[in-house]
Amino acid sequence: MERIGYRQGEGAKALREREWLVTNGLGGYASGTVGGELTRRFHGFLIAALPPPRGRVLAVNALDESACGAEDLEEMRLENGLPVFRYRTVERRILLPHGRNLTLVRYRAREPITLTVRPAFQIRPHEGRVDEPPREYPVAVDGRTCEIDRGSSLPVLLVASHGEWRAVPPRTRTVGYAVEEERGYDCAGPLVSPCELTMKLAAGEEATLGLSTEASDPRLDVATLCALEEERRRAIVAAKIGRVAELSLAADQFVIRKLSSDSSGDRTVIAGYHWFTDWGRDTMISLEGLCLCTGQNEVAGRILRTFAHHVRDGLIPNLFPEGESQGLYHTADATLWFFHAVDRYTTVTGDQKLLADLLPTLREIVRAHLQGTKFGIGVDPADGLLRQGAEGYQLTWMDAKMGDWVVTPRRGKAVEINALFYNALRVLERWSPGDGSIGRAADRLRGSFNARFVAAGRDHLLDVVDPDDAAMRPNQLLAVSLPNPVLDRKHWEPMLRAVRRDLLTPVGLRSLGPREPDYKPGYRGDLRARDAAYHQGTVWGWLIGPFVDAWRKAFPGDDTRPLLAGFDQHMGDFGLGTIAEIFDAEPPHDPKGCIGQAWSVAEVLRCSLLE
């Protein structure tokens, strides 16, 4: 599987704005721009994923290479998701072996060259401030091995297959991170270069540079590590073509081993690169696309067991903060998506053992929701609808918050929360034959839903009731798209036509209709301005999944493939080979936020396999 990311002559914008990403199955990664400019605090050749409380640490920020400047770049491409840079005199490949905090940079000379490599460091948490004063990094050199910051809590090991290392007087340069400046964060800071590698290579000769936070291993077989990783990637795309093959590789980036767990078998999902951690909501929405659609059924089961282990007060965690083992639970929908994920898993795999193990937990979750639990989450005894809301919290997926300002609080009875709860009740009813109380709760909810959310004189559903909010939003799609739709069939077509008219774009759905007074056409500016636009018009790629599901139900004869075509070009313009978190609401729908988002990739991949 190959994607061209850049060809000589495409211009400075392509060199600066197209980014590559390689991950290691632990949450660690390497990433940068095609042209080599550091525009984000997260760019680097080794971001190591370490157990709590360390989290992810930027260990090697840059490699200043004498033959690898942007002016020398002829072509950049992805081969099975791995970046290959073809410069005038040398070819460079970057690979991270799965399950290792190790980056392998491989060079092949195209003509006789002397290649000088000067690493640059600001060792820090990957989301940490970039404007801290420069510090010294002690260097210990032994031929082809160089150790940086020996004696510290995180020494970095650099091992070359050719040439010789030498310590040099530290050179400090200030880097300005352009994207961080645009986003309103600290955006300039020092990088220190205390060592240098010189390699003389004949035409066609290959050399490897290993960057690691792991202890030195004289038996390290680089060739075998590279061969195993390349074979693992070929297996991912075997018998797949086009977008499905490319997104299968992208999906692999997000499924990781949970380092905060006592069990090496526990798995979780990174919600997005570069800065997100594992989020419960994103994981449950993404599970089918990331795992079940790629044949990783066992991994899906492990993820479900991992989150079931963390249920508290009838809720799964909303997220695990960076470097922490304890989750935060401020969510009204993640737990309801958990039911959907278990349903999809058991439908695909037939794994009755997992269902039997989880059933007591699932019943306890429903009991907690019926009786009431934290954050005001509970069924209103007056009408059977599920309400939620607590001052200072953002409990739905529209969760932007700046200081004490919750941008879209949506407190009350939100449309998608009730659609999800209805679906959860129906699947639990199927799993619990003989318990008529579950079915009665579902029947009551459905009756109230169709009486309250369907408003006379409107072609779309209310977004929230009690208090009523009639804003045109995509959340109503879940009332049709889920396996057990709560909305009566007669209301499907007008609602979906209204959503298509106001919200659909080539790269997902707007989060608010353009005729609404709070609509924001672009996601830009400082953090406050961006949060104000995050769910007020900004396009979300993952929403194409519920839209396709709902449209296929209502209009089974329609071809939905054109709805996905816009993502093909996008995967070559921002995060190469992956799908961004969000997009501007108006054309040309510039990508924003994370360069690769789990639920964006998962839902486009899942929908691509429906045809």
Side-chain angles (χ1 to χ4, degrees), residues 35 82 126 164 176 182 198 234 255 272 284 288 329 341 358 363 478 524 561 566 584 598:
L82 295 173
H126 77 139
E164 186 173 1
E182 292 170 9
T198 302
R234 283 192 293 270
V255 180
M284 298 308 141
E288 184 174 5
Y329 288 80
L358 265 52
R363 288 176 177 145
L478 297 187
R524 58 182 65 93
R561 287 175 295 182
D584 280 341

Side-chain angles (χ1 to χ4, degrees), residues 41 67 202 277 290 321 331 367 391 404 597 603:
R41 72 185 63 232
T277 60
L290 296 185
T331 171
R367 186 203 62 77
E391 190 70 28
D404 294 330
Q597 194 79 357
E603 286 295 270

Side-chain angles (χ1 to χ4, degrees), residues 123 135-140 147-156 194:
I123 300 174
R135 50 164 292 215
E136 293 184 5
Y137 294 101
V139 176
E147 190 172 3
I148 304 296
D149 222 11
R150 176 185 284 184
S152 73
S153 61
L154 187 69
V156 178

Side-chain angles (χ1 to χ4, degrees), residues 25-86:
L26 302 173
Y29 59 92
S31 183
T33 61
V34 167
E37 179 184 355
L38 301 176
T39 61
R40 300 183 189 268
R41 72 185 63 232
F42 305 97
H43 285 160
F45 279 81
L46 175 60
I47 292 83
L50 305 173
R54 294 299 293 265
R56 287 176 287 183
V57 176
L58 210 164
V60 181
N61 301 62
L63 297 176
D64 298 329
E65 301 145 313
S66 58
C68 301
E71 66 280 2
D72 300 312
L73 183 61
E74 296 178 353
E75 180 186 87
M76 185 271 176
R77 65 185 185 275
L78 298 181
E79 290 185 2
N80 288 336
L82 295 173
V84 180
F85 301 81
R86 185 179 176 89

Side-chain angles (χ1 to χ4, degrees), residues 305-319:
R305 289 184 183 276
T306 297
F307 275 87
H309 176 72
H310 289 277
V311 169
R312 303 287 185 273
D313 302 305
L315 302 172
I316 70 167
N318 189 34
L319 75 134

Side-chain angles (χ1 to χ4, degrees), residues 19-33:
E19 300 178 52
W20 55 271
L21 170 73
V22 188
T23 64
N24 67 359
L26 302 173
Y29 59 92
S31 183
T33 61

Side-chain angles (χ1 to χ4, degrees), residues 511-593:
S511 48
L512 184 66
R515 291 180 288 181
E516 299 290 343
D518 291 329
Y519 175 75
K520 303 290 190 301
Y523 179 82
R524 58 182 65 93
D526 62 15
L527 182 58
R528 186 177 181 85
R530 295 197 313 277
D531 276 349
Y534 204 37
H535 300 294
Q536 303 285 54
T538 296
V539 172
W540 290 76
W542 80 271
L543 291 169
I544 198 64
F547 182 80
V548 167
D549 290 340
W551 195 269
R552 285 166 62 90
K553 284 183 179 179
F555 307 98
D558 283 8
D559 182 5
T560 56
R561 287 175 295 182
L563 300 175
L564 305 176
F567 292 101
D568 293 330
Q569 178 178 344
H570 161 65
M571 288 191 289
D573 282 341
F574 191 50
L576 296 176
T578 189
I579 300 178
E581 176 190 7
I582 52 176
F583 304 82
D584 280 341
E586 295 296 325
H589 302 296
D590 288 336
K592 300 291 177 65

Side-chain angles (χ1 to χ4, degrees), residues 116-119 146 164-168 171 194-198:
T116 302
V117 181
R118 187 173 297 148
C146 178
E164 186 173 1
W165 285 102
R166 66 187 183 98
V168 298
R171 306 172 192 180
C195 57
E196 184 177 276
L197 171 68
T198 302

